[in-house]
Amino acid sequence: MPSAPRPSASQFVVIGERTNITGSPRFAKALKAGDWDGCLAIARQQIESGANIIDINVDEALIEGEPTMVKFLSLIAAEPEISRVPVMIDSSKWSVIEAGLRCVQGKCIVNSISLKDGEAEFLRRARLVMRYGAAAVVMAFDEKGQASSRDEKVRICTRAYRLLTEGVGFPAEDIIFDPNILTVATGIEEHNAYAVDFFEATAIIKETLPHAKVSGGVSNVSFSFRGNNPVREAIHAVFLYHAIQAGMDMAILNAGMLGVYEEIPKDLLERVEDVILNRRPDATERLVTFADGLKASQGGASRIELKEDLAWRGAPVEERLAHALVKGIDTFIEQDTEEARANTARYPRPLNIIEGPLMDGMRVVGDLFGAGKMFLPQVVKSARVMKKSVAYLTPFMEEEKRRLVAGGGVARTQGRIVMATVKGDVHDIGKNIVGVVLACNNYDVVDLGVMVPCEKILAAAAERKADAIGLSGLITPSLDEMVHVAKEMRRTGCTMPLLIGGATTSAAHTAVKIAPEYPPGVVHVLDASRVVNVVSSLLSSETKAAFLADVGAKQERQREEFAARRSRKPLLSLAAARERRQGFDWAKADIARPEFLGTRVFSGVPLEEVVPFIDWGPFFSAWELHGRYPDILEDPSVGPEAVKLLGDAQRLLGRVVAQKRFTANAVIGFWPCNAVGDDVQVYGDEGRGAVVETFHMLRQQQEKPEGQFNHCLADYLAPAQCGRTDYIGGFAVTAGHGVEGFAAQFRAASDDYSAILSQALGDRLAEAMAEMFHKRAREACGFGRTENLSHGDLIRERYRGIRPAPGYPACPDHTEKRILFRLLGAESATGIHLTESCAMAPASSVSGWYLNHPESKYFGVGKLGRDQVDDYARRKGWTVAEAEKWLGPYLDYDAG
């Protein structure tokens, strides 16, 4: 039987444990007190700290489990920041799990089922899990009890696998085995092998039970050291390191306290590994003694920040260059570069310095970044130091080329990558970051910029003899353009690998839509931290074939799983979905009339008025620092770097504001309207005589539990037949004029760090403008004048009304922006223009609608059936092919 591929650390799924009442005192306290905002904040913090799934458990003697689970899941569904990740419904009571299954949206995980109550009950529950379309954690329990040894774990899991797959047809890919992570270092000899038994059982399960996954609760392993955070974190990091190597796919843990294996001090690491790997009989005693001393010296604290002085300036020049690169210190870099250059006996050519100490230092940076010991802002600062040193050496190399024809003049690179943001798209912060990371690792990056047509990409790749092409995009139409590029690469006989990245891209879409169009190899790159491993694997003659084979196998499984999901969960017909719309008593509905109709233009908005509305949370995510702001500033792992990054950003922001570097413009408007079916008709006046524009909305078609609605944005506006006039608002704001020019100045000075920082600030200011003008719009409608909301309340959108954007989950068609821009006169009012793919330029711009219904909320439309696409094409005056083009990623069928 073929063995399952081992997950890498980058593929590992983190299940946040802090919304589990049994594992989080803070969550328990909030839940018992009925502090739902506090509970939601904990869930949000886990996601911002890196959790891919959240485990929800409300089991407590004084809490009614079923209504509490339903209440919390319902609240989560209304929180976009939380509902974007799946949930694990965790309870020892099956009735609580069933209550959760009835109300949860999307695919979830049941934690758990087991054989401890016998086969009949096990299979009954498995059938129910299947009925709800969920995955299931299967515990290594049976009628005899909990499995502790390797052989017992394997025996029970194998038995459960056969019963599930052969007995009831349970999808193997939806089986998640928990072979029981048990506590080590208890002083009881038979417990010493518990971790090793788990690793060995995991490896066997992954080898013998195809497609099944392995999980577990990691905090269990360290219970012997409760109260000693440094030791517990070290135990968790060591356990995960070996468990992932054995094949573990996911784990329940505190996402905000996930340590890094290679950061553990060597003396502590040795003692922890002795315990985890059961390497010596006195391992427990040695770790206990060491832990007591560590706790006494650190007080149980999680990390110790070490201060640095200038002692490194006394080291040899090679060490100083490496230190400057690793620490991102450019103060002395030209001085040290010149000292190395002057040593012609050691470095006969300037190129020798680049290929020697500079690249040695950047290799250290790459290794530390890959190991999680450096963060992205630090890497970009390292690149700034590198570029400054190379810029100093460049005139000497140019002179050498003039004197010696064969002198070269550039460092030998590991490969050349041509990168571009595809045609119609203007977003490039992520691409720029990836380019910096690759350049740090001695790759020659040819960045073609934004809105690059396919023919230019392929011509540049051929002319520059590229080893790989990288495509980036943010908006959904970019996905179709990427498919087009892949087809053209195949048609023109390209053979280099194709890399795909950007906010709207995904491994699943790449596997289903792009990879089949280009056989030489298409790889999705999740973020900058993965790109070096991907590129190095693709460009090595020794690893390329195996790497592409592994990627191809994973993509084939993703295509199979995509097809299976489609066949297992058919959509409702459009007619049935419309019958399940959310209804309101429009005779009594509170329809707010704005104080003005038409548009109002705001040119040259003072940036100092915008700054107080900035939400800094997404700023850190753009730099791949994960955590909730402001808590991230105190995080023991990323906190010090987050503080530095925020300080740099605020200093640069002060300069932007004082020097008026960016120009901020806005236009907002209100118009009379009514919903007509799933359309919104906009009238020239309140007499509703003439329809001047029509917005076209889309409706959810997924099957939902009884009592839940299939939403459409048009539902929040009064229908024409009710006889009342409603009002829809619109806005377009930008802080982007001047951003790219400012960034270009930094790039010309070899300062990518400040260039990316300035682009990120432009985005933050644009989003802040959207928040500020929404507040003004609510005030114009009356109800916003009494809000009295704090900055935190504004960030969490604790106000009436929503501002959904065309092209995003509630209305995924970007072309609705064209209608909005016509009504607003947005281009002449703000200077924002739409590309052919309906991206906004400049990139630091935001637009959308204002919907004021008190019960309006954000949602995702999800997959669309052929009947709705046909209907939508008719309403838009399109051919079906046009509708399928613009809605491609959302189709529940294969177009054309």
Side-chain angles (χ1 to χ4, degrees):
M1 187 174 294
S3 62
R6 295 283 187 266
S8 69
S10 63
Q11 298 168 320
F12 188 72
V13 174
V14 175
I15 305 168
E17 70 177 359
R18 308 312 285 173
T19 46
N20 184 325
I21 199 170
T22 64
S24 171
R26 182 180 163 207
F27 182 71
K29 181 180 179 181
L31 196 64
K32 290 175 184 177
D35 179 9
W36 296 108
D37 286 343
C39 293
L40 291 171
I42 293 168
R44 198 177 293 111
Q45 180 271 327
Q46 284 285 278
I47 294 164
E48 291 172 347
S49 295
N52 311 111
I53 299 170
I54 53 172
D55 178 79
I56 300 172
N57 185 309
V58 298
D59 288 356
E60 212 276 343
L62 299 180
I63 290 179
E64 291 187 67
E66 293 85 351
T68 302
M69 179 65 79
V70 170
K71 170 81 171 178
F72 190 46
L73 289 173
S74 299
L75 290 171
I76 283 174
E79 295 282 335
E81 294 176 358
I82 305 173
S83 59
R84 64 185 175 87
V85 305
V87 299
M88 177 178 279
I89 303 173
D90 187 348
S91 179
S92 58
K93 293 181 176 179
W94 185 253
S95 59
V96 174
I97 288 176
E98 279 201 272
L101 284 170
R102 283 193 289 269
C103 74
V104 74
Q105 296 189 29
K107 191 179 186 74
C108 68
I109 302 172
V110 167
N111 190 3
S112 59
I113 61 175
S114 76
L115 284 160
K116 67 180 179 181
D117 295 320
E119 288 187 4
E121 181 63 10
F122 175 66
L123 294 176
R124 185 187 75 83
R125 293 178 177 180
R127 291 187 183 97
L128 284 169
V129 173
M130 286 176 62
R131 184 184 305 168
Y132 286 103
V137 174
V138 180
M139 300 295 297
F141 279 82
D142 68 1
E143 300 88 342
K144 298 177 183 178
Q146 182 183 45
S148 58
S149 70
R150 178 198 67 184
D151 292 345
E152 280 296 286
K153 295 175 193 288
V154 172
R155 180 186 65 80
I156 293 174
C157 291
T158 302
R159 177 187 172 200
Y161 183 89
R162 302 294 180 220
L163 287 168
L164 289 170
T165 58
E166 299 171 9
V168 296
F170 200 97
E173 63 271 18
D174 285 345
I175 300 173
I176 304 166
F177 285 115
D178 184 338
N180 306 324
I181 299 175
L182 304 175
T183 307
V184 296
T186 63
I188 300 173
E189 185 176 351
E190 53 263 36
H191 296 179
N192 293 346
Y194 277 168
V196 174
D197 281 332
F198 182 91
F199 302 149
E200 293 179 353
T202 294
I204 295 171
I205 289 167
K206 295 294 290 185
E207 291 282 346
T208 60
L209 306 179
H211 304 300
K213 298 172 179 64
V214 174
S215 180
V218 172
S219 61
N220 292 348
V221 75
S222 66
F223 275 163
S224 296
F225 293 90
R226 279 173 290 185
N228 193 326
N229 287 339
V231 173
R232 291 201 74 180
E233 290 173 18
I235 291 173
H236 296 165
V238 170
F239 183 90
L240 280 173
Y241 176 80
H242 292 286
I244 291 171
Q245 286 189 326
M248 190 181 191
D249 301 277
M250 58 187 74
I252 302 174
L253 45 83
N254 182 352
M257 298 293 283
L258 186 56
V260 177
Y261 176 82
E262 290 190 6
E263 287 183 347
I264 303 169
K266 298 304 180 188
D267 48 359
L268 176 58
L269 177 62
E270 178 189 349
R271 288 164 174 81
V272 170
E273 288 211 307
D274 284 344
V275 167
I276 292 296
L277 301 177
N278 194 21
R279 293 195 298 207
R280 49 190 292 168
D282 62 344
T284 296
E285 291 78 8
R286 292 179 78 241
L287 180 57
V288 168
T289 302
F290 187 87
D292 288 343
L294 191 64
K295 186 174 182 180
S297 65
Q298 297 187 14
S302 179
R303 303 278 197 280
I304 296 176
E305 183 181 355
L306 299 177
K307 303 297 181 183
E308 184 181 27
D309 56 27
L310 292 177
W312 64 280
R313 297 300 303 153
V317 68
E318 290 81 6
E319 293 180 25
R320 277 181 269 139
L321 289 170
H323 184 91
L325 288 165
V326 172
K327 297 297 183 181
I329 302 169
D330 64 358
T331 310
F332 311 99
I333 191 63
E334 291 185 352
Q335 172 186 330
D336 290 344
T337 302
E338 171 57 26
E339 182 179 334
R341 190 195 69 82
N343 187 352
T344 54
R346 189 169 180 83
Y347 302 110
R349 301 173 58 201
L351 185 58
N352 300 140
I353 301 170
I354 296 174
E355 294 183 327
L358 290 179
M359 284 315 304
D360 289 343
M362 292 312 295
R363 272 190 285 274
V364 173
V365 171
D367 291 344
L368 291 173
F369 183 49
K373 295 165 72 175
M374 284 184 74
F375 301 104
L376 189 57
Q378 296 166 300
V379 174
V380 178
K381 288 178 184 176
S382 298
R384 176 174 61 183
V385 178
M386 177 73 169
K387 285 191 171 184
K388 196 168 184 178
S389 179
V390 171
Y392 181 84
L393 292 170
T394 297
F396 298 101
M397 292 192 291
E398 292 296 328
E399 176 62 23
E400 183 184 62
K401 281 197 294 183
R402 283 192 291 270
R403 289 186 288 108
L404 298 171
V405 176
V410 293
R412 290 191 302 273
T413 66
Q414 297 195 59
R416 179 171 291 126
I417 317 298
V418 168
M419 298 199 313
T421 299
V422 296
K423 184 176 71 170
D425 204 328
V426 298
H427 300 86
D428 68 348
I429 292 181
K431 172 174 64 66
N432 291 341
I433 290 173
V434 167
V436 169
V437 172
L438 286 170
C440 287
N441 287 269
N442 200 27
Y443 290 95
D444 180 12
V445 177
V446 180
D447 189 343
L448 301 179
V450 301
M451 295 183 62
V452 186
C454 175
E455 56 271 20
K456 183 177 178 180
I457 296 171
L458 300 191
E463 178 186 348
R464 303 299 295 272
K465 295 181 173 56
D467 297 294
I469 292 176
L471 303 181
S472 176
L474 179 72
I475 59 174
T476 49
S478 298
L479 299 176
D480 282 339
E481 182 63 19
M482 291 175 179
V483 174
H484 170 65
V485 174
K487 289 179 178 178
E488 284 299 290
M489 289 176 70
R490 180 179 62 184
R491 186 184 66 80
T492 56
C494 293
T495 57
M496 75 282 286
L498 174 62
L499 308 180
I500 300 295
T504 58
T505 65
S506 68
H509 179 271
T510 301
V512 173
K513 297 294 185 180
I514 306 178
E517 303 296 343
Y518 186 62
V522 183
V523 183
H524 179 255
V525 182
L526 182 63
D527 56 43
S529 66
R530 272 80 163 183
V531 69
V532 172
N533 287 339
V534 169
V535 173
S536 63
S537 298
L538 285 172
L539 302 193
S540 166
S541 58
E542 296 178 356
T543 61
K544 179 180 179 180
F547 180 79
L548 284 176
D550 183 47
V551 169
K554 290 173 184 173
Q555 290 176 340
E556 182 59 33
R557 287 196 300 275
Q558 287 172 317
R559 288 189 283 270
E560 292 171 357
E561 290 170 5
F562 176 78
R565 286 195 300 271
R566 181 182 289 179
S567 62
R568 284 206 304 270
K569 300 185 72 174
L571 297 178
L572 294 174
S573 69
L574 178 59
R578 284 172 172 166
E579 289 176 1
R580 299 188 188 185
R581 74 174 65 226
Q582 185 172 10
F584 302 104
D585 185 347
W586 287 104
K588 298 178 181 178
D590 177 14
I591 297 177
R593 185 189 186 281
E595 65 183 23
F596 72 93
L597 296 178
T599 61
R600 287 186 177 176
V601 176
F602 304 83
S603 299
V605 179
L607 292 178
E608 54 267 27
E609 294 180 11
V610 180
V611 168
F613 289 86
I614 290 178
D615 175 9
W616 287 105
F619 171 78
F620 294 101
S621 298
W623 289 91
E624 296 181 18
L625 294 179
H626 301 297
R628 178 181 174 80
Y629 177 79
D631 297 346
I632 190 174
L633 303 178
E634 303 294 330
D635 185 275
S637 177
V638 302
E641 188 56 36
V643 170
K644 292 177 189 175
L645 180 65
L646 182 60
D648 291 343
Q650 290 180 332
R651 282 187 290 274
L652 187 59
L653 178 61
R655 181 179 166 189
V656 167
V657 174
Q659 298 175 359
K660 297 181 170 57
R661 287 281 182 170
F662 304 163
T663 301
N665 298 328
V667 57
I668 63 175
F670 289 101
W671 306 274
C673 74
N674 279 125
V676 178
D678 291 348
D679 286 341
V680 178
Q681 291 185 346
V682 179
Y683 305 118
D685 55 47
E686 290 176 292
R688 299 188 291 171
V691 176
V692 294
E693 293 286 2
T694 300
F695 291 116
H696 312 87
M697 306 303 185
L698 290 157
R699 183 173 298 280
Q700 295 174 325
Q701 285 187 266
Q702 66 266 37
E703 179 73 68
K704 294 188 179 183
E706 186 176 351
Q708 293 188 26
F709 304 107
N710 287 76
H711 297 289
C712 172
L713 288 176
D715 297 343
Y716 299 128
L717 294 162
Q721 63 266 30
C722 80
R724 299 185 66 187
T725 302
D726 209 333
Y727 303 89
I728 189 170
F731 70 95
V733 301
T734 183
H737 298 299
V739 171
E740 290 308 317
F742 197 40
Q745 291 178 24
F746 288 118
R747 288 198 183 92
S750 299
D751 188 356
D752 285 305
Y753 176 70
S754 297
I756 294 170
L757 203 59
S758 62
Q759 289 181 304
L761 286 175
D763 285 357
R764 287 300 88 220
L765 286 167
E767 292 290 350
M769 287 185 70
E771 196 66 76
M772 182 176 84
F773 279 97
H774 192 189
K775 185 175 188 298
R776 293 188 184 181
R778 296 193 302 275
E779 290 168 352
C781 293
F783 58 82
R785 294 168 189 160
T786 58
E787 283 180 344
N788 193 29
L789 298 176
S790 68
H791 178 263
D793 291 334
L794 288 173
I795 297 304
R796 294 174 180 82
E797 299 171 339
R798 290 175 176 163
Y799 43 69
R800 171 176 164 178
I802 58 175
R803 49 179 175 89
Y808 290 86
C811 178
D813 177 11
H814 280 271
T815 67
E816 290 294 294
K817 270 184 260 180
R818 294 172 179 164
I819 304 169
L820 177 63
F821 270 47
R822 286 199 300 267
L823 276 172
L824 289 168
E827 185 165 350
S828 60
T830 65
I832 307 171
H833 72 272
L834 297 178
T835 71
E836 59 192 293
S837 296
C838 293
M840 289 176 287
S844 296
S845 305
V846 184
S847 65
W849 297 292
Y850 296 137
L851 302 182
N852 292 333
H853 194 283
E855 293 188 47
S856 60
K857 66 178 183 179
Y858 297 101
F859 58 87
V861 166
K863 292 297 182 180
L864 304 172
R866 191 184 299 271
D867 57 348
Q868 181 161 198
V869 175
D870 290 346
D871 177 83
Y872 191 71
R874 178 187 56 77
R875 290 192 278 134
K876 292 273 288 190
W878 281 349
T879 65
V880 172
E882 286 178 291
E884 290 173 338
K885 170 191 170 185
W886 286 100
L887 300 174
Y890 295 87
L891 303 182
D892 194 52
Y893 62 94
D894 294 323

